[in-house]
Each structure stands twice: as C-alpha cells, then as structure tokens.
Amino acid sequence: MILPGATLGVLGGGQLGRMFTMRAREMGYRVIVHDPDPESPAGACGDDQIRAPYDDTDALDHLASRCRAVTTEFENVPAAAMERLAARVRVRPGPAAVAIAQDRIAEKSFLQAHGFATAAFAPVGSGGEAADAFRAIAAPACLLKTARLGYDGKGQATVRSPDEAREAWEALGRVPCVLERRLDLEREASVVLARGDDGAAVAFPPGENVHVGGILHTTTVPATLDDETRTAALSLALRVAEALEYVGVLGVELFVADGGRLYVNELAPRPHNSGHWTLDAASVDQFELQVRALCGLPLPTPHLLSPVSMVNILGDAWDDAAPDWGSALALPGVKLHLYGKRVPRAGRKMGHLNCLAASGPEALALALEAHRRLRIP
C-alpha cells in the first residue's frame, strides 16, 4: 500500500485531474500535476506542476523520480509516455488498458472478441471503405467516428447513404474511423466502477444519461431501469473491467436499445463525467476510489445516500456576466462545483450542479430548474 504522506502524479490538468488532486490532498497525499498548460485547473490545486508536453522524456523521468504512483485524467496520453513511466513507477490504469480505450477500433474489436455486445461496426481507412461499410451494415443510418481523439460529439457524423459515408470520411480529415449502426435508443446509461490489483471491484449504481448536442447534459440516479436491466448493467461493466485486467476507475457507457438489450458504447479509463454526482450523493466518491485503487488501498462498496441529478454547466453565452449562481443556489439541495477554468466558451465544461431530492424524477426536475436559473442556453 502507498499510504498518505506519499507523492502521487497525475497526467493531465483538467477538471478530472483537479478533482482527483483535491481528493488526494484531503486524504493526506502530495500531488504533482503534469500538464503543459500553465493555467491548468488541476495545477492550481496541486503541490507542484510539471509544465511540459506529455511526450517530453526528461519531464516524464522527472515525474517518475518524484512520485510513488502515477494516474491519468484522460485517455489520450501517448502510449509511449505511459510505458516509459510504467518502467519506473506504479502506473494505474496500466498502459495496455488505456491503449485499448483511446482507439475506437481497438476498443470495439476488444469488446467484440470478448463477447460484449456493441452496435454493428466496421473499421474505415478510406472513402471507399466507408461506402462499403455502410452497405455491409445495411442500416437506415450510421455514425462515422474518428478512431482517436473525438469526444463530446466531436469527430463524428451521421450518414444515411454510401455517398454520405464517403463524404463524411473526407470531411473528418481522411483519418482512420469506425462506422457503426445508429441504434434506436431507449435509454443511455453508464456504470462507474473501481477495480484493484487483487481483482476486487466495486461499482456505483447505474446512472441514466441525457445528451444534448453530443455533450452529456444530465445524469440521474437511480436510473429508470427495471431491476433486471440494472443488475445486468452492473454485471456487464464488471466483466468488462475483468476482461481488461483493469486497475483504477473505469466508466462504461451503455446503450439500451432493441427491446431492452444492453450495448457497450465506449470505455473511459478514468473517472467519468456521469460519476460526478458521487461527490455529494454517495458514501464514497469516484475520485477517492481512484486514489485508493492507485495506492493499493481497500475499495469500500459505494452506497447511494440520496437520489440525485447532475447537470453540466457549459461556457455558452456567458458574455460579460457570470451565470446567476445565487438564483440556482437558492434552491434546496443544489450543490455547485466549478472547475477553475478562466475562459468560458461554447461547449466547454466549466462546472456542474449536483441536485439532491426525494426521488430520481424530482432530482432531475430540480436540476433542470437550477440550470434554467443560471440563464445559460
């Protein structure tokens, strides 16, 4: 076990790194943030920040020399960087698992090979392959997604014909992509879990997600899933983590479609946006579990303390005036979390509200009212 008083490292200085850093420091650890941005949200909370690119070998060696263990807040760290660190210091999650999750072709191929249901898909490396893939999948509509780097609705396009698939591949920059059948969704859900080196794993209750413009808008717990689907979602997520031999916190995004069938959409090898509700409504939050898994500490089973709905706060249309925080915070049960980002812009996640109420539907209604009062479109 790596006990409080030790120094931990985190690759990435965004909001997930910030919340990890804050929780780790509350637990008695020192934290060094590696991020090239001098104004990174996590860097502002850490004990030190290494301001260098993620592929700077000297900076990586310096980080390894100062830390007992290193984690990541995002999946797009160069694989070579994580492998270099792992040769010198404990790295969780491991480079192999992150490499699978950072490439949609590798991820979906892994899931398929291990018997986990995904939407029908095909790798695409050219405009002709995109058109052929659309014909092979034979669906009314498909999604063409870049294999790497796309998130929050970026790097993807809906296509409804072979010609549109070919044109979309050109528009996405002629990079490797994956074409997948667009499912007729009944619900979107996610399971956030943590798994230790010994294989012991714990999971939070599934969250029900609503996306707007490809960006997560709300997550509500308890999800409106029947008991059978809820149990199946938890079992599925835990089996995915086991197949990956994963250690750390993992977000498993799920689709419910085709009469209640569960499909794996994507994996996030880190704490997940849909797990932010745990900061206020669970007996242990996802960032404490990240610290514990990284340090080899026991993983307590999370318990839901209150129905809750999380709503993201984006940087849209802030102009010269901040959102109306006071009006939203006047509502009982509303908790505000801001990420310390200086520049708001459209689509940028600036913070979130956790809204606690007596039931899931009441929590969701409270979250939507609180968001409305912020006067952000």
Side-chain angles (χ1 to χ4, degrees):
M1 293 184 188
I2 299 172
L3 299 176
T7 299
L8 309 177
V10 58
L11 294 168
Q15 63 265 23
L16 298 177
R18 177 186 178 93
M19 288 181 271
F20 166 83
T21 297
M22 293 170 69
R23 177 62 74 231
R25 294 194 67 186
E26 287 176 351
M27 294 172 67
Y29 295 91
R30 293 174 54 81
V31 180
I32 299 175
V33 177
H34 183 147
D35 191 291
D37 182 2
E39 296 183 345
S40 73
C45 300
D47 294 279
D48 196 6
Q49 179 176 345
I50 297 174
R51 298 180 179 88
Y54 297 115
D55 58 358
D56 185 320
T57 56
D58 289 340
L60 292 169
D61 291 346
H62 182 56
L63 178 67
S65 72
R66 297 178 62 188
C67 296
R68 291 285 307 280
V70 177
T71 190
T72 181
E73 69 128 24
F74 72 122
E75 54 266 41
N76 292 316
V77 175
M82 296 197 70
E83 289 167 359
R84 187 178 185 92
L85 286 168
R88 300 189 56 186
V89 70
R90 176 184 173 90
V91 174
R92 300 292 186 274
V98 175
I100 291 170
Q102 67 184 195
D103 184 287
R104 285 191 172 97
I105 297 173
E107 180 180 86
K108 290 182 182 298
S109 298
F110 172 88
L111 291 167
Q112 184 182 65
H114 287 80
F116 300 110
T118 69
F121 73 94
V124 169
S126 69
E129 287 184 4
D132 290 343
F134 186 91
R135 295 186 188 98
I137 292 173
C142 290
L143 288 169
L144 185 68
K145 301 178 180 180
T146 57
R148 303 176 73 92
L149 299 179
Y151 65 96
D152 285 346
K154 302 178 180 71
Q156 62 180 260
T158 299
V159 296
R160 294 180 173 83
S161 71
D163 286 343
E164 285 189 6
R166 183 184 295 107
E167 292 164 3
W169 184 79
E170 296 282 347
L172 289 174
R174 302 168 62 89
V175 298
C177 290
V178 61
L179 187 80
E180 64 181 52
R181 177 169 75 96
R182 184 165 188 167
L183 299 171
D184 185 10
L185 299 183
E186 297 161 14
R187 281 178 178 76
E188 294 182 69
S190 56
V191 174
V192 177
L193 61 90
R195 187 172 184 271
D197 279 300
D198 60 357
V202 298
F204 294 99
E208 183 170 350
N209 302 325
V210 174
H211 288 78
V212 176
I215 301 175
L216 182 65
H217 185 48
T218 61
T219 297
T220 303
V221 180
T224 57
L225 303 173
D226 59 50
D227 289 344
E228 182 179 354
T229 303
R230 183 178 293 106
T231 300
L234 288 168
S235 174
L236 172 59
L238 291 168
R239 286 186 287 114
V240 168
E242 183 179 7
L244 276 171
E245 298 181 355
Y246 192 85
V247 177
V249 170
L250 177 71
V252 182
E253 298 181 17
L254 302 169
F255 290 149
V256 184
D258 298 339
R261 187 181 183 192
L262 287 170
Y263 295 86
V264 181
N265 176 32
E266 291 185 355
L267 307 178
R270 49 170 171 76
H272 196 259
N273 191 179
S274 69
H276 290 348
W277 63 267
T278 64
L279 289 166
D280 295 299
S283 56
V284 60
D285 64 70
Q286 63 174 341
F287 299 100
E288 180 174 338
L289 290 183
Q290 185 183 18
V291 175
R292 285 173 170 266
L294 176 63
C295 295
L297 300 175
L299 302 175
T301 300
H303 298 288
L304 181 66
L305 301 179
S306 168
V308 59
S309 188
M310 185 280 306
V311 58
N312 274 324
I313 302 170
L314 305 183
D316 302 58
W318 284 28
D319 298 324
D320 295 327
D324 190 352
W325 307 120
S327 181
L329 291 172
L331 295 168
V334 174
K335 311 287 187 179
L336 173 64
H337 298 265
L338 291 177
Y339 302 152
K341 297 180 180 179
R342 293 179 180 271
V343 181
R345 58 176 179 266
R348 191 181 197 195
K349 294 172 183 172
M350 303 297 292
H352 69 271
L353 298 171
N354 284 338
C355 303
L356 284 62
S359 69
E362 289 175 275
L364 177 58
L366 178 62
L368 295 176
E369 173 59 18
H371 189 266
R372 185 192 68 78
R373 291 190 179 198
L374 293 178
R375 298 185 299 189
I376 301 173

